């Protein structure tokens, strides 16, 4: 069936000749002129008049091309082989018009451009130069701001620090600017999905650790407590004394009754699973400059039934071998430092950031590096808040005068920290690392204690301006035992402040990854191998190379070290403590640690 649409006839498929790509020979006697005479209905392309293409002030007026010779027809010839006709005769028609164009002569004496176009071109050239100049200036300012103050707009410091930013930036040294380059990682969000997955995996791993430790605690207190209870010996001796003959003590050992404790006997201290279930679980760390002790994974429990507490250490050897050992034996303990010294631990003493103090001499099984100090201080880094809230509703604890005094002490120290924060906005790394080294050098006795004059001198050397009244208030808080000396590490934490435990957890995680041999210090060569600057914004934008960013980090870190070839945990923590002062958001600080160290 033949179809005809808009005057074009459709021929059967057999009549359509596909285009083969080769030029077919023309029929005998056929010429382009004779073909044109036989087909007068075909359109003719008008000739191109190059002489009319001249510059004129009348831009909207086009030159009229005479179309007297043009014959335009919109109705193609009606034929059953229309498609065949178009395919066969399209090329000769093009050849005919090309031959006509070759006969035209292109004029060589074209007129010059008018003054109007010259003026427009000059204006365009001037605008382009000015625009490029402004663009270059903006880029230079942006690059300078990134180098001197790598901080996103949403993470700016408080208004007081911003107002004095110009004066502070004038006092920055080259070392300060190199340290501030690390803040550039806070703007990098290149691995958001990967970070989310890794955080979820870390949470699952931490829950498994806590479950393992909790099971071990229950085993130790339920199965072993009966055997190790001293009361068992007294009961057994009373039962056997009624049946033992006077001369039986002289009998041979093989005739004596040798049995384990009678586990069926119920003593006063016998525990049940229900009694042990009322507890608060918390994570802790040792406040120490020793890397091995500071990175110990400690998990503690406070039991409500007898107000006792215990702390266990989770240790991992390789990938598959783990062990759980008691670090602080289960017992009733009291505060050994501060305003609550001598008071028994209660439920209100357990919260994130709280310090638990113990006498090292009372725990002979502790590591030697811990027993070197008189006091062992544990900082609570995380706690089971659900269990804590549930137990607090059941127990009734009244606030006493000591609680009010501790609140006032915190307010006094917080006011001093706010004043010093303005002075440490961009110079935190250099001042904190140098301040720690200076205090350590002043400690001639090596016991970690300094008097009032030494601490005043240290503040004066590093231009940390603290008023006399504020200093005396801080001294009264820290020197609660009237010994005339205070721990300079505690003094530094009190007046300068500390980053929160969430940030410190990532600092310890980075240090543990770098400390391959678990020695408590990291060789500089290992830090150079592990530090990766590929994702630093300056490297991505091409303003700096990986080696430049790495060198700037190592240079500022080495300045904090007492040894040129290794970094201790305390020095590593001081570096990031100073960097943390100028960063408000916790996740930005975590990015600074995650990105270069891959944690």
């Amino acid at each position: 069936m033949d179809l005809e649409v808009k005057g074009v006839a459709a021929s059967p498929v057999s009549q359509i000749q596909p285009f083969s790509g080769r030029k077919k020979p023309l029929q005998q006697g056929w010429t382009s002129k004779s073909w044109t005479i036989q087909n007068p209905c075909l359109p003719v392309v008008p000739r191109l008049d190059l002489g009319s293409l001249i510059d004129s002030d009348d831009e909207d007026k086009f030159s009229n091309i005479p179309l007297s010779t043009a014959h335009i027809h919109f109705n193609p010839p009606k034929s059953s082989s229309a498609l065949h006709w178009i395919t066969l005769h399209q090329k000769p028609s093009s050849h005919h018009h090309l031959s006509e164009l070759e006969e035209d002569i292109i004029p060589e004496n074209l007129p010059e451009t008018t003054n109007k176009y010259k003026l427009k071109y000059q204006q365009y050239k001037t605008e382009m130069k000015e625009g490029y100049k402004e663009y270059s200036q903006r880029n230079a300012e942006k690059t300078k701001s990134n180098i001197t103050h790598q901080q996103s707009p949403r993470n700016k410091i408080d208004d007081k620090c911003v107002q004095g930013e110009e004066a502070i930036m004038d006092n920055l040294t080259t070392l300060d600017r190199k340290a501030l380059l690390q803040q550039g990682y806070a703007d990098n969000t290149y691995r958001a999905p990967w970070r989310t997955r890794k955080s979820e995996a870390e949470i699952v791993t931490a829950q498994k650790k806590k479950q393992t430790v909790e099971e071990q605690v229950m085993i130790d207190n339920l199965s072993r407590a009966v055997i190790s209870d001293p009361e068992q010996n007294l009961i057994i001796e009373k039962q056997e004394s009624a049946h033992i003959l006077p001369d039986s003590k002289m009998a041979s050992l093989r005739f004596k009754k040798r049995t384990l404790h009678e586990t069926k006997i119920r003593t006063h201290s016998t525990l049940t699973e229900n009694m042990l279930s009322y507890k608060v679980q918390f994570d802790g760390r040792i406040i120490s400059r020793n890397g091995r002790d500071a990175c110990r994974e400690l998990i503690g429990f406070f039991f409500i039934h007898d107000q006792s507490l215990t702390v266990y250490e989770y240790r991992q050897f390789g990938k598959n071998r783990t062990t759980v050992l008691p670090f602080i034996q289960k017992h009733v303990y009291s505060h050994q430092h501060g305003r609550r010294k001598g008071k028994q631990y209660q439920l209100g003493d357990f919260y994130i950031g709280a310090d638990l103090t113990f006498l090292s001499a009372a725990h002979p099984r502790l590591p030697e590096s811990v027993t070197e100090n008189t006091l062992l201080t544990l900082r609570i880094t995380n706690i089971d808040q659900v269990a804590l809230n549930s137990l607090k509703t059941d127990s009734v604890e009244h606030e006493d005068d000591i609680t009010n005094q501790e609140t006032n002490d915190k307010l006094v120290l917080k006011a001093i920290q706010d004043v010093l924060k303005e002075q440490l906005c961009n110079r935190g790394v250099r001042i904190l690392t140098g301040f720690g080294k200076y205090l350590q050098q002043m400690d001639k006795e090596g016991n970690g204690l300094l008097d009032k004059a030494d601490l005043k001198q240290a503040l004066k050397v590093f231009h940390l301006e603290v008023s006399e009244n504020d200093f005396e208030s801080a001294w009264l808080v820290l020197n609660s035992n009237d010994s005339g000396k205070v721990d300079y590490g505690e003094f530094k934490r009190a007046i300068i402040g500390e980053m929160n435990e969430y940030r410190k957890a990532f600092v310890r995680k980075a240090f543990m990854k770098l400390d391959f041999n678990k020695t408590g210090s990291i060789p500089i060569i290992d830090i150079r191998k592990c530090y990766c600057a590929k994702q630093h914004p300056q490297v991505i934008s091409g303003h700096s190379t990986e080696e430049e960013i790495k060198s700037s980090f190592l240079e500022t870190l080495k300045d904090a070290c007492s040894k040129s070839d290794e970094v201790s945990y305390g020095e590593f923590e001081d570096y990031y403590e100073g960097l943390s002062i100028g960063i408000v958001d916790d996740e930005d600080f975590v990015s600074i640690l995650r990105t270069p160290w891959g944690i």
Side-chain angles (χ1 to χ4, degrees), residues 52 54-63 114 116-117:
S52 63
I54 60 175
D55 294 332
S56 175
D57 293 338
D58 301 330
E59 297 180 4
D60 296 335
K61 295 180 181 180
F62 298 96
S63 58
T114 60
K116 181 178 180 179
Y117 283 99

Side-chain angles (χ1 to χ4, degrees), residues 457-485:
Q457 179 66 23
L459 293 175
K460 185 177 180 180
V461 169
F462 286 87
H463 304 285
L464 297 176
E465 299 177 1
V466 179
S467 65
E468 187 67 24
N469 292 334
D470 289 342
F471 183 85
E472 291 296 333
S473 300
W475 180 260
L476 290 176
V477 172
L478 299 174
N479 189 31
S480 58
N481 55 358
D482 296 329
S483 62
K485 291 187 177 183

Side-chain angles (χ1 to χ4, degrees), residues 184-369:
Y185 290 113
D187 298 330
N188 196 342
T189 58
Y190 74 105
R191 285 183 176 179
W194 176 79
R195 290 176 181 175
T196 304
R197 292 194 299 270
K198 193 165 187 178
S199 299
E200 293 174 354
E202 291 172 353
I203 292 173
V204 172
T205 303
Q207 290 177 349
K208 290 182 178 179
K209 288 181 181 179
K210 293 179 180 179
Q211 185 177 0
T212 303
V213 175
E214 186 175 2
E215 291 174 354
Q216 188 63 44
V217 170
M218 299 297 284
I219 292 172
D220 291 347
N221 287 276
L222 292 177
S223 63
R224 299 180 185 177
V226 178
I227 299 176
S228 60
D229 192 351
E231 192 176 351
Q232 289 281 354
N233 296 330
L234 299 176
I235 296 175
I236 293 174
E237 289 177 0
K238 289 180 180 179
Q239 290 178 350
E240 293 182 350
S241 61
H243 306 285
I244 295 177
L245 298 175
D247 59 346
S248 62
K249 295 181 179 180
M250 303 300 296
S252 178
L253 182 63
R254 59 192 180 90
F255 294 108
K256 286 186 177 182
K257 184 180 180 181
R258 294 177 296 163
T259 59
L260 293 174
H261 293 304
E262 296 290 342
T263 55
K264 294 181 181 180
I265 298 175
R266 184 179 183 85
T267 61
H268 295 287
S269 61
T270 301
L271 300 176
T272 62
E273 187 174 355
N274 186 33
M275 295 170 61
L276 294 176
S277 62
Y278 293 95
K279 64 182 182 301
V280 177
Q281 184 174 341
F282 59 89
D283 298 339
R285 66 178 179 88
I286 302 176
I287 297 181
S288 173
R289 303 280 293 180
N290 186 298
R292 295 188 63 184
D293 296 332
C295 294
R296 293 180 183 273
E297 298 183 70
L298 303 179
I299 300 176
F301 301 86
F302 178 75
F303 301 98
I304 302 299
H305 73 279
D306 60 350
Q307 303 289 305
S308 64
L309 68 89
T310 182
V311 179
Y312 276 67
E313 180 181 5
Y314 180 89
R315 302 182 66 180
Q316 185 167 356
F317 305 93
K319 293 184 178 180
N320 301 322
R321 184 187 170 193
T322 60
T323 184
V324 179
L325 299 173
F327 193 77
I328 300 292
Q329 298 291 336
K330 184 177 180 296
H331 200 266
V332 178
Y333 295 98
S334 302
H335 294 269
Q336 301 298 328
H337 183 66
R339 294 192 179 274
R340 291 183 176 272
K341 184 177 181 180
K343 289 187 173 291
Q344 182 179 323
Y345 286 110
Q346 298 179 355
L347 187 62
D349 297 326
F350 294 87
Y351 53 88
I352 297 177
D355 291 340
L356 308 177
T357 54
F358 305 90
L359 290 176
S360 301
H363 305 278
R365 295 185 179 181
L366 292 175
E368 293 182 2
S369 56

Side-chain angles (χ1 to χ4, degrees), residues 157-169:
I157 50 183
D158 50 359
D159 295 338
K160 293 182 180 179
C161 195
V162 173
Q163 290 175 0
E165 183 178 358
E166 294 181 359
I168 292 173
M169 295 300 284

Side-chain angles (χ1 to χ4, degrees), residues 17 326 365 548:
Q17 297 181 4
R365 295 185 179 181
E548 290 175 351

